Amino acid sequence: MTHHHATPRFRRRTGALLTAGLLLAAAGCGSAATTTGSDGAGASDTNGRGGTLVIGATGKLPNPDTVIGGAGFEGKRLVSFQLYEGLTRYDLSRTDAPPEITGALAESWKVAADARTWTFTLRKGVTFQDGTPFDADSVVFNLDRYLDKHNPQYTDALGAAAQEYAGDIAKYRKVDADHVELVTTAPNGHFPEDLAHVLIASPTAVRKYGTADFGQHPVGTGPFAFSSQTAGQEIDLVAYKGYWRGAPKLDRLVIKSLPDVAARTAALRSGGVNWIEYPNPDDIDSLKADGVQLVTNSYDHLWYWILDTSKAPWNDPRVRQAANFAIDRKAIAGKLLHGTADPAFQTAPRATFAFDPAGDVYSYDPAKARQLLAEAGKASGFSTTVTVPTGGSGNLLPVPISEAIQHDLAAVGIKVQIRTTDWSTLISAEAKGQVALGSDAIAQSTTLFQSEALLPLFIGSKSPFWTGHYTNARVDTLLASASASTDQAERRADYRQALDLVTKDAPWLFVVNDRNPRALSPKVRGLVQPQSWFLDLTTVWIRK
């Protein structure tokens, strides 16, 4: 039986805008200059096992029903990807390059000459955490739940969330017990990456509890099984001994929501947690003095301002370029953020395949900034406004960073009024194509390539997000060509060329790339910190 589901490619993405908006600062990671090596905490200490890892997260925890989530990449990193898997997964075992996609519940796949028909060979011998065997029927069951509005387990919430990554699936069918065929609406070269986010739940558990209650009893094939939760605040997981890649070294994994950074730090120091996401950069020296491990690595992250390119004077590329030359990124990264970020001199984050080693453009050059402003008829400067979130996952220290930019821009005659709002208000407005508080710019952070399917939302001319009204037909063409290509080298070359054009057009103020810092008790061993928003926690254990 073939199941049909067709939604035009761009329109289907709009159904998950709020989710995509959360990905703008999705993970709540921050980073620092690596203090224990970019390969993580005690990564060479691989012989032990056991213990309970307790992580203090920066935001609320997700709904643990597969794709619903709701806590951005941090929730997916710490909860969803621990409970579930897709047909594919990120290989998070390397520290020296961005992660590639590899097999998970599918061990291999091939695409037909039409670049739309994909056949996946499923992994044998995999069982869900409740003992249910995984097979082709499991895949079809989950896709029905996400995409078939007439399915008894379908809900609007599931359907909207699934559109993010499964919305390109036009039809799907079981070939036999070990193979499924998925057909996309159009050629989609990043489809294997998309499927890492299309999480597969136990059909037995979904039928038993129903979609309404499955989130209270989640069951997947991931390395950790559900034990208990306080919704949004704490979740307790246990190692799944039958995990197909081998049981995790930990006995238990506990995730706690601790959005206040001072509370996270206090919990780490008191022993209430033994790992925190994004420590306050100002606390790093004292934490290190206490014996805490600080681990970092570059990853796909950009903290930036989006400028309204439809309004004078930001409609003049010379003015936008001038503002970029006015920013002292090294001071922001080194002094304000204490090495927890790297200066961003171009669009592509340095830990992505689109980064151009020869593409750094915007060095700190106030004289060049003044020259460009004079050429644009703004030698005497001008006034502008920016809306800045007071916090939020992945946003680092948004107000202090913006105040540093405000100071630098004032030195070349650009007077900035900072207007602050909460993160959810800013993102909700952006998803409607608006700017909270009606400013000329907004400050935020984003991932560009960890979720390749979302890139047109950030720099595409027809994005339903507020993107500063930026438009470049050549960028659109390159994005479309890259997205459709199943040739990885061609796709990456097109992306690099597109982002080089964005760098030159300067619709954004490029500021810093976060380095994903986390602070760990000295008892936490075996972490490998990849160049990713995500983590493989199967290698971690707690020293007695």
Side-chain angles (χ1 to χ4, degrees), residues 4-23:
H4 293 268
H5 169 76
T7 304
R9 168 175 289 192
F10 199 85
R11 183 166 61 85
R12 63 93 176 169
R13 288 186 180 142
T14 67
L17 284 180
L18 186 55
T19 304
L22 292 174
L23 299 186

Side-chain angles (χ1 to χ4, degrees), residues 193-380:
E193 180 194 63
D194 296 352
L195 292 178
H197 299 264
V198 182
L199 304 177
I200 305 298
S202 164
T204 301
V206 173
R207 290 189 181 106
K208 178 178 179 180
Y209 298 108
T211 289
D213 292 328
F214 176 73
Q216 305 302 315
H217 310 274
V219 179
T221 62
F224 292 91
F226 178 79
S227 177
S228 64
Q229 70 172 335
T230 301
Q233 300 303 312
E234 183 172 325
I235 189 164
D236 193 330
L237 309 177
V238 296
Y240 174 39
K241 302 301 184 185
Y243 182 49
W244 64 269
R245 287 202 296 134
K249 293 188 173 186
L250 289 167
D251 297 322
R252 293 176 62 218
L253 172 63
V254 179
I255 314 297
K256 296 184 176 183
S257 171
L258 295 172
D260 181 75
V261 66
R264 286 200 303 280
T265 301
L268 179 65
R269 286 182 162 140
S270 70
V273 302
N274 46 25
W275 167 320
I276 61 172
E277 297 290 272
Y278 195 65
N280 188 330
D282 288 340
D283 292 336
I284 285 177
D285 288 343
S286 64
L287 286 170
K288 287 163 60 178
D290 290 340
V292 170
Q293 305 173 85
L294 271 295
V295 292
T296 71
N297 206 346
S298 297
Y299 72 121
D300 179 25
H301 177 281
L302 176 66
W303 197 97
Y304 64 128
W305 282 11
I306 300 175
L307 307 173
D308 191 342
T309 62
S310 70
K311 293 164 62 175
W314 293 126
N315 61 343
D316 190 326
R318 293 170 297 183
V319 173
R320 303 194 299 265
Q321 292 163 359
N324 271 290
F325 279 115
I327 300 171
D328 189 349
R329 296 166 179 80
K330 290 184 178 179
I332 293 172
K335 296 178 182 178
L336 178 60
L337 298 177
H338 296 270
T340 62
D342 292 318
F345 301 108
Q346 60 177 280
T347 308
R350 62 192 64 218
T352 67
F353 50 74
F355 179 76
D356 185 352
D360 284 351
V361 173
Y362 299 109
S363 58
Y364 179 47
D365 192 340
K368 178 72 170 177
R370 293 188 189 94
Q371 175 190 336
L372 285 166
L373 287 172
E375 291 175 5
K378 292 294 179 181
S380 58

Side-chain angles (χ1 to χ4, degrees), residues 146-223:
Y146 296 150
L147 302 176
D148 180 1
K149 293 183 178 180
H150 302 292
N151 186 274
Q153 303 297 344
Y154 175 91
T155 67
D156 289 342
L158 274 171
Q163 287 300 305
E164 198 91 74
Y165 296 104
D168 266 352
I169 300 174
K171 54 185 178 179
Y172 50 97
R173 70 183 181 96
K174 170 185 174 180
V175 178
D176 56 40
D178 301 321
H179 296 85
V180 292
E181 180 184 273
L182 279 61
V183 182
T184 58
T185 58
N188 180 352
H190 51 75
F191 191 52
E193 180 194 63
D194 296 352
L195 292 178
H197 299 264
V198 182
L199 304 177
I200 305 298
S202 164
T204 301
V206 173
R207 290 189 181 106
K208 178 178 179 180
Y209 298 108
T211 289
D213 292 328
F214 176 73
Q216 305 302 315
H217 310 274
V219 179
T221 62

